[in-house]
Amino acid sequence: MAEMVLRKSPSFYDVYERKPGAIKYQTHYCPGCGHGILHKLIAEAMDELGIRDRTILISPVGCSVFAYYYFRCGNVQVAHGRAPAVATGIKRALPHSIVISYQGDGDLAAIGGNEILHAANRGERITVFFVNNAIYGMTGGQMAPTTLVGQKTTTTPFGRRAEMEGPPLRVAELLASLESPVYIERVALTTPKNIARARKAVRKALSVQMQDLGFSLVEVLSACPSGWKMTPVDSIRWIDEVMTRYFPLGVFRDRTAEAKPMPLPKISYDLDSLLEKLEIPSGEAEGVIASPVPHPRYANPRIKIAGFGGQGILLLGQALAEAGMTAGYRVSWLPSYGPEMRGGTANCHVILSDSRIGSPLVSRPSVLIAMNRPSLDRFEPEVESGGLILYDSSLIDRPVTRRDVEVLAIPATSMADELGNTRAANMVILGSYVAYTGVVEREHLTHILPKVIKRKQLIDLNERAIARGYEYALMHRTAAST
Amino acid sequence: MAKQLIKGNEAVVKGAILAGCRAFFGYPITPASEIAEAAAYYFPQVGGVFLQAESEIASIYMLYGAASAGIRAMTASSSPGISLKMEGISYLAGAELPCVIVDIVRGGPGLGNIAPSQGDYHQIVKGGGHGEYKLITLAPNCAQEMCDLTMLAFELADKYRNPAVVMADGFIGQMMEPVEFPQPVSSFPDKPWALRGEDADQFRLITSIDLEPEGLERHVLHLQEKYAQAEREEVRFEEYQTEDAEVILVGYGIVSRLLHSTVDEARAKGLRVGLLRPITLWPFPSRRITELATRVSAFMVVELSNGQMVEDVRLAVAGKVPVWFYGRMGGVVPSVEEILRVLRQQIEV
Ligand SMILES: Cc1ncc(C[n+]2csc(CCOP(=O)(O)OP(=O)(O)O)c2C)c(N)n1
Ligand code: SF4
């Protein structure tokens, strides 16, 4: 026993303290199991490459769930099949670390098929050691995606049938069909010669990661004497004589010569100009420009704005909310969202209020701005009695029928056309609404325009549209609103 | 500081970055996609990681990886995606990994719809994943709180080494309101347990497995101790007009805003009504509800669900006074008038 401890790789713990029970020097694997051999090859490679102190090894679900008993490095135990996703998260957080995803064939090729495919395709800078033992060892010998046709397992008691269970998955070949992987090889833990090849492959796969070249994977044909119900010696022979016929050994991808290092960026906590990068307004709150005093019947409006997608409905609402905020109101803006938008209609709900806003949803608007006929048809009945309807009379070919509401018809689209851009109709209406009700001041609109109109060259046009709407509404203002 | 008119979903992302979060793993789903989109825009610019995963399953495990490395990290999704994350959430709680998960709840079950809902209360607050774990669950009701409670979620997650959830709905996520952002957090708690890619990692292990029943029981008892501490220290709620109230309305998230207006309208009609809004859904303000039950004549719980939180209210009230329930489902949001009508009917019965 003492002798064994002395020969042990320094990348293994001296004593397996995490292992329960009295036996702290031996692994938990069955005699003749390939996992133990592969562990040794990995540990030796970690020693030789000098990476033990920055290696993080992921123990999967399967017989190697307790790999963390043995490897003297950072250890993470994860859920069935998810090791490549966890490896991705670790590597992105700690680019200098060497991340090893150690997985069985059930883990990698069945339940974790999606995770390995996408980690490989992203070219994650991780190394995967994939133990193909053609069976589920841990759970007692059920079929794996790599179980050979005709092979008997506890869930294929009559042998696997290609036409019912599908033929075995060749993972190395499958992943080698992707663009990103840098190095993929299949080896077998059988003869000394094959083990020597495996040793080289393990080292090479890790060195790919050390150089930041990209994704590397070694598929390891590995004995499971217990699952196969064979002696260790017969198991080795079965791999060489039977398994390798379906799973040929060899290199399926090697771009180590041409691949360029692609180191990941380091995480930064630099607070310099963080607020700028987040586009958060710094400095003191802006002084409120002369607070508006609208006629009481227009105070605290609950506004619904509706029209075609593309008419700038949401923007009109946003401009109102921004202006309201600048004028010292509490404000909320709620859009229609999701598939509703795809039908070509858009609407939003805007509330400006002197007091705390309850529901942001406007079910009984005090103001309706309708920019097309379907919107007027749909929302006219919802407007509360004594409310206000503004509509684009160049697009809507009928008058408002309600007699208990105030109405302002604005040929907004025609006016926008005259200004040279149909799409400014929303700003014409905005100008009209503000002039008509005095809910905010003209200056508030001027002030917020650069915030909502991202393209600077359009600000002037929008300003002129607002001015046109403004004049129009002042001319048409009824007695009630003065 | 100046205020910014911003969507709740975007406020989450800015709040997260201000809280020192530097990794986001997402997958698109309405009505939470703006969170991933804003994260894709801002995280790389501030030296953080954004990754669109191949699924919600992958994204929760990427989060597991990043949290193992001790950095503040998050994911966001909506109900069906959260269902997929549940296995990972259980692992995160079992392995004591702090992280933040945002759920912008939508109508269910199944594909349901994208309208606002609170039907995820059971899956978030009561479990949903396997085993004896709890999630610190915060329920914002405005864009400002989408920022503030996301920041708090990171703090509590680290304090308790446990996942924390920000649970909102499509309205809170999609609506724009003024938000005043705080200064960035600049000091973080030590995480001596976290993997760093350094030699001392050999003494660290991130895991949730323990084959020995006594060992696992010890671990689960340790989790329960943390949960008991959170129940003592982290309960947060807001009250409105409860001092002289005869009936107390209980609701969280978007519903609490409707109930706030309901209280005003009811009081204008001479009804002595108040509001209790749980801000932490777990730990739940049970103690406060028990106290109130000794001096009010009834509670009325309103939810956008079939009645999930009402179970916790009933447990706290313990039969002392009636607990009425009104719920709308499928994404229907009741109006204030509707709630007031139901309230008056209940009072008159
Ligand atoms: C989600 C989930 N499903 C099923 C299991 C049960 N389980 C444990 S190990 C295992 C199979 C492992 O087989 P493999 O990956 O081939 O590894 P081996 O044991 O052969 O090394 C299964 C299905 C689990 N732990 N988690
Ligand atoms: S069951 Fe098979 S894979 Fe598992 S330890 Fe035994 S031999 Fe190895």
Side-chain angles (χ1 to χ4, degrees):
Chain A
M1 189 62 79
E3 204 181 73
M4 210 183 92
V5 173
L6 285 179
R7 274 195 282 112
K8 200 151 66 177
S9 150
S11 288
F12 287 131
Y13 292 112
D14 295 334
V15 181
Y16 303 143
E17 298 285 5
R18 288 177 181 146
K19 192 165 173 262
I23 306 165
K24 305 280 192 198
Y25 294 97
Q26 280 169 11
T27 72
H28 68 288
Y29 297 112
C30 311
C33 173
H35 280 301
I37 306 172
L38 179 59
H39 280 24
K40 203 153 159 274
L41 298 184
I42 295 172
E44 285 169 5
M46 284 161 63
D47 299 340
E48 286 166 21
L49 298 169
I51 53 173
R52 186 198 56 74
D53 57 353
R54 59 184 171 116
T55 295
I56 296 177
L57 184 127
I58 302 177
S59 305
V61 165
C63 282
S64 47
V65 62
F66 297 122
Y68 65 80
Y69 287 171
Y70 314 117
F71 287 95
R72 186 204 294 271
C73 63
N75 281 287
V76 190
Q77 200 292 310
V78 306
H80 201 16
R82 315 304 173 205
V86 176
T88 298
I90 296 174
K91 186 72 184 189
R92 300 271 175 144
L94 302 171
H96 72 283
S97 64
I98 299 295
V99 181
I100 297 175
S101 178
Y102 188 110
Q103 301 182 259
D105 43 25
D107 194 81
L108 180 142
I111 195 167
N114 206 24
E115 282 77 9
I116 190 64
L117 180 70
H118 287 274
N121 193 52
R122 284 192 302 268
E124 290 298 336
R125 279 57 135 190
I126 61 171
T127 302
V128 181
F129 295 119
F130 168 44
V131 176
N132 176 353
N133 59 13
I135 204 152
Y136 282 19
M138 177 80 156
T139 39
Q142 296 85 4
M143 181 186 74
T146 45
T147 293
L148 295 182
V149 169
Q151 187 183 339
K152 286 186 179 162
T153 70
T154 57
T155 50
T156 52
F158 309 106
R160 180 178 186 154
R161 300 155 302 175
E163 69 282 11
M164 300 306 280
E165 284 84 39
L169 267 176
R170 290 188 183 100
V171 170
E173 288 87 335
L174 183 75
L175 295 181
S177 73
L178 303 173
E179 285 295 317
S180 303
V182 170
Y183 173 63
I184 297 177
E185 178 165 358
R186 183 183 289 121
V187 298
L189 301 178
T190 52
T191 59
K193 197 170 135 233
N194 276 341
I195 291 178
R197 274 216 65 93
R199 175 176 289 119
K200 265 181 72 186
V202 166
R203 207 174 336 152
K204 183 159 179 173
L206 287 169
S207 72
V208 164
Q209 186 178 174
M210 290 169 68
Q211 298 167 69
D212 287 315
L213 298 183
F215 180 87
S216 54
L217 176 141
V218 182
E219 176 172 342
V220 182
L221 303 187
S222 170
C224 175
S226 305
W228 299 348
K229 305 197 172 34
M230 290 181 202
T231 64
V233 174
D234 287 347
S235 299
I236 299 293
R237 191 177 307 131
W238 192 74
I239 295 177
D240 277 339
E241 291 175 4
V242 182
M243 264 186 103
T244 50
R245 268 193 269 141
Y246 189 84
F247 296 113
L249 305 185
V251 176
F252 294 89
R253 168 65 56 84
D254 189 351
R255 291 191 178 154
T256 48
E258 59 268 34
K260 302 241 173 329
M262 298 179 295
L264 293 165
K266 265 191 73 169
I267 302 256
S268 151
Y269 290 93
D270 190 2
L271 296 184
D272 257 10
S273 66
L274 185 73
L275 294 184
E276 265 163 59
K277 288 176 190 154
L278 290 179
E279 299 169 293
I280 290 174
S282 52
E284 285 311 298
E286 302 160 9
V288 173
I289 310 169
S291 290
V293 190
H295 188 283
R297 74 182 290 176
Y298 302 126
N300 299 322
R302 296 187 318 286
I303 311 161
K304 183 167 255 175
I305 309 167
F308 294 123
Q311 278 184 309
I313 300 295
L314 301 187
L315 191 78
L316 163 49
Q318 199 188 326
L320 254 178
E322 287 277 6
M325 184 170 89
T326 310
Y329 287 105
R330 318 256 186 135
V331 302
S332 68
W333 170 95
L334 177 73
S336 52
Y337 60 86
E340 205 180 317
M341 309 277 293
R342 250 161 260 144
T345 66
N347 70 67
C348 65
H349 309 222
V350 177
I351 298 177
L352 311 187
S353 175
D354 294 329
S355 52
R356 179 168 162 163
I357 295 173
S359 173
L361 184 76
V362 177
S363 42
R364 306 240 353 115
S366 63
V367 178
L368 170 65
I369 297 177
M371 293 194 59
N372 66 5
R373 172 84 191 253
S375 300
L376 184 65
D377 292 349
R378 181 162 163 213
F379 298 121
E380 182 182 338
E382 289 182 3
V383 178
E384 73 179 11
S385 190
L388 170 65
I389 297 180
L390 297 96
Y391 70 97
D392 186 342
S393 54
S394 27
L395 298 183
I396 300 176
D397 54 359
R398 73 159 175 90
V400 169
T401 52
R402 293 265 302 266
R403 289 282 159 260
D404 61 337
V405 297
E406 207 180 329
V407 179
L408 181 63
I410 308 153
T413 298
S414 313
M415 287 158 73
D417 283 339
E418 282 163 28
L419 290 170
N421 193 332
T422 310
R423 300 186 55 160
N426 57 348
M427 291 296 137
V428 173
I429 295 219
L430 175 64
S432 292
Y433 170 64
V434 167
Y436 198 82
T437 60
V439 71
V440 298
E441 302 291 337
R442 178 82 177 269
E443 291 87 323
H444 297 125
L445 293 183
T446 315
H447 182 76
I448 59 93
L449 216 47
K451 285 195 208 173
V452 290
I453 309 291
K454 293 278 168 327
R455 283 170 53 197
K456 290 223 163 19
Q457 65 270 32
L458 289 179
I459 290 180
D460 178 55
L461 168 76
N462 282 282
E463 198 127 26
R464 280 184 290 131
I466 288 173
R468 285 298 305 275
Y470 217 88
E471 289 154 22
Y472 180 89
L474 290 183
M475 265 157 42
H476 292 80
R477 195 143 69 161
T478 60
S481 53
T482 48
Chain B
M1 283 241 290
K3 289 192 172 186
Q4 182 168 36
L5 187 70
I6 189 170
K7 274 194 177 193
N9 279 346
E10 272 183 57
V12 163
V13 172
K14 294 190 183 187
I17 291 172
L18 292 173
C21 175
R22 287 295 181 275
F24 186 103
F25 305 100
Y27 190 85
I29 184 167
T30 310
S33 294
E34 292 84 1
I35 303 181
E37 287 164 357
Y41 183 78
Y42 290 113
F43 271 74
Q45 293 188 57
V46 302
V49 174
F50 169 82
L51 194 52
Q52 178 170 329
E54 58 272 28
S55 70
E56 287 86 350
I57 300 175
S59 63
I60 197 78
Y61 285 105
M62 290 172 181
L63 185 57
Y64 185 103
S68 302
I71 68 169
R72 287 189 166 176
M74 72 182 297
T75 184
S77 187
S78 178
S79 313
I82 297 291
S83 298
L84 273 178
K85 289 182 192 292
M86 275 300 161
E87 181 203 42
I89 289 173
S90 168
Y91 273 76
L92 284 157
E96 300 194 76
L97 291 174
C99 61
V100 171
I101 299 153
V102 180
D103 181 6
I104 307 296
V105 184
R106 56 186 254 178
L111 203 47
N113 65 24
I114 59 168
S117 165
Q118 297 181 330
D120 281 8
Y121 185 92
H122 276 162
Q123 93 157 336
I124 299 289
V125 173
K126 301 291 167 184
H130 55 288
E132 300 92 332
Y133 74 89
K134 288 284 182 192
L135 298 175
I136 296 162
T137 308
L138 306 172
N141 79 348
C142 59
Q144 181 70 53
E145 284 191 351
M146 287 291 261
C147 165
D148 297 348
L149 295 186
T150 300
M151 295 183 74
L152 178 64
F154 279 103
E155 195 185 309
L156 295 180
D158 279 349
K159 179 172 172 188
Y160 291 93
R161 278 191 68 180
N162 201 69
V165 176
V166 176
M167 182 171 148
D169 59 76
F171 277 2
I172 303 291
Q174 297 286 333
M175 67 195 274
M176 277 196 185
E177 283 182 325
V179 173
E180 187 176 337
F181 288 98
Q183 288 298 320
V185 175
S186 53
S187 74
F188 304 101
D190 264 356
K191 297 183 181 176
W193 49 266
L195 299 173
R196 304 284 178 193
E198 63 187 22
D199 197 29
D201 280 357
Q202 63 179 291
F203 306 110
R204 301 169 183 147
L205 169 65
I206 306 295
T207 188
S208 61
I209 189 174
D210 191 334
L211 284 191
E212 302 285 304
E214 286 77 14
L216 184 58
E217 187 186 51
R218 257 195 316 279
H219 175 63
V220 177
L221 285 173
H222 157 69
L223 298 182
Q224 307 314 306
E225 270 166 33
K226 292 196 309 187
Y227 301 151
Q229 184 193 346
E231 281 174 343
R232 286 191 304 274
E233 297 177 16
E234 310 305 341
V235 173
R236 286 166 172 81
F237 56 89
E238 182 193 342
E239 285 182 41
Y240 178 58
Q241 306 264 24
T242 49
E243 304 78 26
D244 63 341
E246 284 175 5
V247 178
I248 291 191
L249 304 175
V250 188
Y252 66 94
I254 186 70
V255 170
S256 67
R257 299 177 56 141
L258 304 170
L259 296 184
H260 199 274
S261 306
T262 310
V263 168
D264 289 342
E265 304 225 346
R267 292 226 164 222
K269 294 187 165 64
L271 300 172
R272 294 228 302 266
V273 176
L275 165 65
L276 182 117
R277 163 171 86 104
I279 295 172
T280 48
L281 299 181
W282 190 86
F284 194 69
S286 308
R287 188 113 55 88
R288 181 59 185 154
I289 291 174
T290 306
E291 277 165 24
L292 289 168
T294 61
R295 62 170 171 80
V296 303
S297 51
F299 290 84
M300 184 164 108
V301 178
V302 180
E303 292 179 65
L304 303 185
S305 81
N306 58 337
Q308 302 191 4
M309 181 183 70
V310 67
E311 293 177 1
D312 287 327
V313 176
R314 288 202 169 114
L315 276 174
V317 170
K320 285 198 200 73
V321 293
V323 178
W324 307 318
F325 174 72
Y326 186 63
R328 295 298 305 263
M329 282 162 283
V332 180
V333 179
S335 66
V336 171
E337 303 83 68
E338 180 181 344
I339 297 169
L340 194 59
R341 188 161 6 96
V342 175
L343 175 65
R344 298 186 85 165
Q345 278 163 7
Q346 290 286 8
I347 291 174
E348 279 156 26
V349 168

